[in-house]
Amino acid sequence: MGMHSFKASDGLGLAYALDDYTDPWRAADTVILLHAAMGSSRRFYAWVPHLAGEFRVVRLDL
Amino acid sequence: MPLSSETHYVTASDGLELAYAIDDFSDPWKPREALILIHAAMGSSRRLYKWVPILAREFCVVRPDMRGHGATGMPGPGQLSLERLTRDVIELADHLQLQRFHIAGSSAGAIVAMRTTLDFPERIVSLTNFASTPGLKNSLIDMDKWVSHIRARGMRGFLEDTIAERFPNVADKGFLAWFIEESARTDPELFARFGPMMKAVDFTDRLHEIKCPMLNVVPGHDPLGAPGQYEVYKTHVPHCEFIVYEGLPHNITDSVPERCANDLRDFLRRHRQVR
């Protein structure tokens, strides 16, 4: 899993995980998963292997 | 699209920097059960990307880059031998605090996996061999011819010249181009050392020492192997499991990766470290 971050327009750093095991020579759709309150990107860990062979899976920490 | 697994590094005991990927989507509250999965010659951890989603829900999947391959450093004089490659696996396992682990390999990676199992049996929970004989000494590969071909045509030219015999049944041109692109990153002079090194190896007479569960997955139509040469496992490791992919040539771990990963996962499930 790769954890990354970017700066939101109001200056806050937002973290996200990106998992991609799709065929490198093809374009793949991206799905952004958003966790529940009191959660984080980590709570979606079990979803990733089911999805990331066909889709780029982005899990944002709200 | 780029593959997402991060590259990590550990320094081997001889100073070479070893690269590896680690993917683990298993339940965090359960004991970790690890698999070290080793690529073929002229390959890298990246070539095994399709295996990860199938295996990593239940196992911590560690994919090292062997010396001179992928993001691992180029071995200097005296820094490349089967014993050293085996030592790299153990040092990586020590670094990750894996006292015991499953191990699997493709082709030359399986030679390393088998040798690791022979030399460090107490560390290995199970062993899986994809498309490899116990060393290349008795294979039909003319390694001198391969090296000459690579030196004459470059790695890319060699791969382009031989791609049809590697993947006669694969129509996806995108895959074929990617395979060539990835494999062409291999330094020709590295292969000029690595290939002959493996060609000199034959540990058939040690196979009987393998006591852990073992799975052999072999191509049914391997032009690189002498007929019946995979039968040595049935003879010398009588408890081993054996699956033949009928009609397929040598590169099964690239041509049918999901099938390989599913067969491996099923085998690992039957031989779990933690029950």
Side-chain angles (χ1 to χ4, degrees):
Chain A
M1 174 189 74
M3 282 303 294
H4 310 270
S5 64
F6 72 99
K7 197 158 281 189
S9 54
D10 66 351
L12 192 70
L14 294 180
Y16 65 96
L18 171 63
D19 295 282
D20 180 0
Y21 304 101
T22 63
D23 293 335
W25 59 93
R26 277 191 253 274
D29 287 352
T30 300
V31 55
I32 298 180
L33 296 179
L34 302 173
H35 61 79
M38 294 185 280
S40 77
S41 56
R42 288 163 56 86
R43 285 254 293 269
F44 276 124
Y45 73 92
W47 296 46
V48 175
H50 294 286
L51 295 167
E54 294 179 56
F55 304 95
R56 301 176 73 235
V57 180
V58 178
R59 293 174 285 151
L60 180 64
D61 284 335
L62 296 174
Chain B
M1 290 296 167
L3 300 169
S4 64
S5 294
E6 283 184 46
T7 301
H8 303 268
Y9 296 92
V10 60
T11 303
S13 54
D14 68 347
L16 195 73
E17 198 170 58
L18 305 177
Y20 65 96
I22 182 165
D23 298 277
D24 186 357
F25 300 100
S26 61
D27 294 335
W29 60 92
K30 293 181 181 167
R32 183 176 57 171
E33 190 155 358
L35 163 70
I36 296 183
L37 182 60
I38 310 172
H39 62 82
M42 292 184 274
S44 77
S45 55
R46 289 165 55 87
R47 284 254 296 271
L48 296 163
Y49 74 94
K50 258 181 137 56
W51 299 46
V52 176
I54 294 168
L55 294 162
R57 178 66 187 96
E58 297 175 53
F59 302 93
C60 173
V61 181
V62 181
R63 292 174 288 151
D65 286 333
M66 289 194 285
R67 291 181 168 237
H69 295 80
T72 284
M74 189 62 60
Q79 284 192 308
L80 185 64
S81 67
L82 183 55
E83 292 75 18
R84 182 64 248 186
L85 290 165
T86 300
R87 172 57 59 184
D88 288 344
V89 173
I90 295 300
E91 290 181 7
L92 174 58
D94 289 344
H95 170 69
L96 295 173
Q97 299 181 306
L98 305 176
Q99 180 53 36
R100 299 186 75 228
F101 51 94
H102 300 275
I103 193 166
S106 167
S107 195
I111 292 175
V112 176
M114 284 187 274
R115 183 62 185 264
T116 304
T117 304
L118 287 169
D119 289 354
F120 300 93
E122 72 283 1
R123 304 292 297 267
I124 307 301
V125 179
S126 76
L127 164 66
T128 301
N129 159 34
F130 288 91
S132 186
T133 49
L136 297 183
K137 194 166 191 176
N138 300 317
S139 77
L140 295 180
I141 297 174
D142 185 338
M143 195 57 73
D144 291 338
K145 191 174 172 186
W146 276 32
V147 171
S148 297
H149 190 167
I150 289 168
R151 283 187 167 142
R153 292 273 293 135
M155 189 60 76
R156 180 180 298 276
F158 167 77
L159 291 161
E160 288 171 349
D161 292 346
T162 57
I163 199 72
E165 61 196 59
R166 290 177 186 276
F167 302 109
N169 303 319
V170 175
D172 187 338
K173 287 188 166 49
F175 163 76
L176 296 177
W178 180 79
F179 179 90
I180 291 172
E181 188 67 37
E182 283 288 313
S183 305
R185 297 179 189 193
T186 310
D187 185 311
E189 288 312 305
L190 180 280
F191 188 79
R193 297 164 63 195
F194 192 95
M197 176 188 71
M198 289 297 184
K199 183 66 177 170
V201 172
D202 177 18
F203 47 75
T204 305
D205 62 351
R206 292 193 62 192
L207 287 178
H208 69 278
E209 298 174 30
I210 295 173
K211 304 302 181 194
C212 69
M214 182 182 190
L215 170 65
N216 297 287
V217 183
V218 304
H221 180 68
D222 188 355
L224 301 183
Q229 69 169 350
Y230 290 113
E231 300 297 310
V232 291
Y233 298 113
K234 292 181 182 175
T235 304
H236 296 282
V237 192
H239 67 271
C240 78
E241 299 179 35
F242 205 87
I243 300 175
V244 179
Y245 287 1
E246 296 292 354
L248 293 183
H250 185 70
N251 289 80
I252 55 174
T253 57
D254 295 290
S255 63
V256 287
E258 291 105 328
R259 184 178 176 186
C260 290
N262 278 304
D263 281 335
L264 175 57
R265 185 187 60 190
D266 291 347
F267 174 73
L268 296 181
R269 283 173 172 172
R270 290 199 300 281
H271 300 287
R272 281 191 182 278
Q273 179 180 6
V274 179
R275 296 195 179 273

